[in-house]
PDB file of all heavy atoms in Angstrom:
ATOM      1  N   PHE X 461       6.363   2.228 -12.538  1.00  0.00           N
ATOM      2  CA  PHE X 461       5.680   1.113 -11.856  1.00  0.00           C
ATOM      3  C   PHE X 461       4.986   1.605 -10.586  1.00  0.00           C
ATOM      4  O   PHE X 461       3.834   1.234 -10.319  1.00  0.00           O
ATOM      5  CB  PHE X 461       6.686   0.014 -11.528  1.00  0.00           C
ATOM      6  CG  PHE X 461       6.104  -1.128 -10.756  1.00  0.00           C
ATOM      7  CD1 PHE X 461       5.123  -1.934 -11.314  1.00  0.00           C
ATOM      8  CD2 PHE X 461       6.527  -1.394  -9.460  1.00  0.00           C
ATOM      9  CE1 PHE X 461       4.562  -2.983 -10.596  1.00  0.00           C
ATOM     10  CE2 PHE X 461       5.981  -2.449  -8.738  1.00  0.00           C
ATOM     11  CZ  PHE X 461       4.996  -3.246  -9.309  1.00  0.00           C
ATOM     12  N   SER X 462       5.652   2.433  -9.800  1.00  0.00           N
ATOM     13  CA  SER X 462       5.047   2.970  -8.575  1.00  0.00           C
ATOM     14  C   SER X 462       3.798   3.779  -8.896  1.00  0.00           C
ATOM     15  O   SER X 462       2.806   3.728  -8.155  1.00  0.00           O
ATOM     16  CB  SER X 462       6.051   3.839  -7.819  1.00  0.00           C
ATOM     17  OG  SER X 462       7.159   3.088  -7.411  1.00  0.00           O
ATOM     18  N   SER X 463       3.841   4.525  -9.998  1.00  0.00           N
ATOM     19  CA  SER X 463       2.672   5.320 -10.401  1.00  0.00           C
ATOM     20  C   SER X 463       1.510   4.423 -10.803  1.00  0.00           C
ATOM     21  O   SER X 463       0.342   4.730 -10.506  1.00  0.00           O
ATOM     22  CB  SER X 463       3.051   6.241 -11.566  1.00  0.00           C
ATOM     23  OG  SER X 463       4.102   7.116 -11.199  1.00  0.00           O
ATOM     24  N   LEU X 464       1.821   3.310 -11.480  1.00  0.00           N
ATOM     25  CA  LEU X 464       0.769   2.397 -11.916  1.00  0.00           C
ATOM     26  C   LEU X 464       0.085   1.709 -10.743  1.00  0.00           C
ATOM     27  O   LEU X 464      -1.138   1.525 -10.751  1.00  0.00           O
ATOM     28  CB  LEU X 464       1.350   1.342 -12.868  1.00  0.00           C
ATOM     29  CG  LEU X 464       1.675   1.806 -14.289  1.00  0.00           C
ATOM     30  CD1 LEU X 464       2.392   0.708 -15.058  1.00  0.00           C
ATOM     31  CD2 LEU X 464       0.397   2.218 -15.030  1.00  0.00           C
ATOM     32  N   ILE X 465       0.863   1.310  -9.745  1.00  0.00           N
ATOM     33  CA  ILE X 465       0.256   0.580  -8.629  1.00  0.00           C
ATOM     34  C   ILE X 465      -0.231   1.510  -7.522  1.00  0.00           C
ATOM     35  O   ILE X 465      -0.853   1.043  -6.559  1.00  0.00           O
ATOM     36  CB  ILE X 465       1.231  -0.464  -8.040  1.00  0.00           C
ATOM     37  CG1 ILE X 465       2.425   0.209  -7.365  1.00  0.00           C
ATOM     38  CG2 ILE X 465       1.671  -1.452  -9.106  1.00  0.00           C
ATOM     39  CD1 ILE X 465       3.296  -0.774  -6.583  1.00  0.00           C
ATOM     40  N   ALA X 466       0.036   2.819  -7.657  1.00  0.00           N
ATOM     41  CA  ALA X 466      -0.384   3.764  -6.613  1.00  0.00           C
ATOM     42  C   ALA X 466      -1.885   3.717  -6.339  1.00  0.00           C
ATOM     43  O   ALA X 466      -2.304   3.689  -5.167  1.00  0.00           O
ATOM     44  CB  ALA X 466       0.062   5.178  -6.966  1.00  0.00           C
ATOM     45  N   PRO X 467      -2.760   3.688  -7.378  1.00  0.00           N
ATOM     46  CA  PRO X 467      -4.197   3.594  -7.075  1.00  0.00           C
ATOM     47  C   PRO X 467      -4.568   2.290  -6.359  1.00  0.00           C
ATOM     48  O   PRO X 467      -5.494   2.267  -5.549  1.00  0.00           O
ATOM     49  CB  PRO X 467      -4.849   3.654  -8.463  1.00  0.00           C
ATOM     50  CG  PRO X 467      -3.844   4.347  -9.330  1.00  0.00           C
ATOM     51  CD  PRO X 467      -2.519   3.882  -8.820  1.00  0.00           C
ATOM     52  N   ILE X 468      -3.840   1.200  -6.654  1.00  0.00           N
ATOM     53  CA  ILE X 468      -4.115  -0.080  -6.014  1.00  0.00           C
ATOM     54  C   ILE X 468      -3.751  -0.005  -4.530  1.00  0.00           C
ATOM     55  O   ILE X 468      -4.545  -0.380  -3.653  1.00  0.00           O
ATOM     56  CB  ILE X 468      -3.330  -1.207  -6.714  1.00  0.00           C
ATOM     57  CG1 ILE X 468      -3.730  -1.292  -8.190  1.00  0.00           C
ATOM     58  CG2 ILE X 468      -3.549  -2.537  -6.006  1.00  0.00           C
ATOM     59  CD1 ILE X 468      -2.883  -2.256  -8.999  1.00  0.00           C
ATOM     60  N   THR X 469      -2.541   0.472  -4.233  1.00  0.00           N
ATOM     61  CA  THR X 469      -2.124   0.571  -2.835  1.00  0.00           C
ATOM     62  C   THR X 469      -2.955   1.611  -2.084  1.00  0.00           C
ATOM     63  O   THR X 469      -3.212   1.458  -0.884  1.00  0.00           O
ATOM     64  CB  THR X 469      -0.631   0.914  -2.740  1.00  0.00           C
ATOM     65  OG1 THR X 469      -0.364   2.131  -3.466  1.00  0.00           O
ATOM     66  CG2 THR X 469       0.215  -0.200  -3.341  1.00  0.00           C
ATOM     67  N   LEU X 470      -3.398   2.665  -2.799  1.00  0.00           N
ATOM     68  CA  LEU X 470      -4.258   3.669  -2.160  1.00  0.00           C
ATOM     69  C   LEU X 470      -5.549   3.027  -1.666  1.00  0.00           C
ATOM     70  O   LEU X 470      -5.985   3.253  -0.528  1.00  0.00           O
ATOM     71  CB  LEU X 470      -4.564   4.796  -3.142  1.00  0.00           C
ATOM     72  CG  LEU X 470      -5.475   5.930  -2.631  1.00  0.00           C
ATOM     73  CD1 LEU X 470      -5.045   7.266  -3.251  1.00  0.00           C
ATOM     74  CD2 LEU X 470      -6.941   5.683  -2.988  1.00  0.00           C
ATOM     75  N   LEU X 471      -6.165   2.202  -2.501  1.00  0.00           N
ATOM     76  CA  LEU X 471      -7.410   1.562  -2.098  1.00  0.00           C
ATOM     77  C   LEU X 471      -7.176   0.522  -1.009  1.00  0.00           C
ATOM     78  O   LEU X 471      -7.986   0.373  -0.084  1.00  0.00           O
ATOM     79  CB  LEU X 471      -8.088   0.920  -3.306  1.00  0.00           C
ATOM     80  CG  LEU X 471      -8.800   1.888  -4.249  1.00  0.00           C
ATOM     81  CD1 LEU X 471      -9.381   1.149  -5.438  1.00  0.00           C
ATOM     82  CD2 LEU X 471      -9.901   2.647  -3.535  1.00  0.00           C
TER      83      LEU X 471
END
Side-chain angles (χ1 to χ4, degrees):
F461 176 64
S462 298
S463 301
L464 285 173
I465 67 171
I468 300 173
T469 56
L470 179 146
L471 284 178

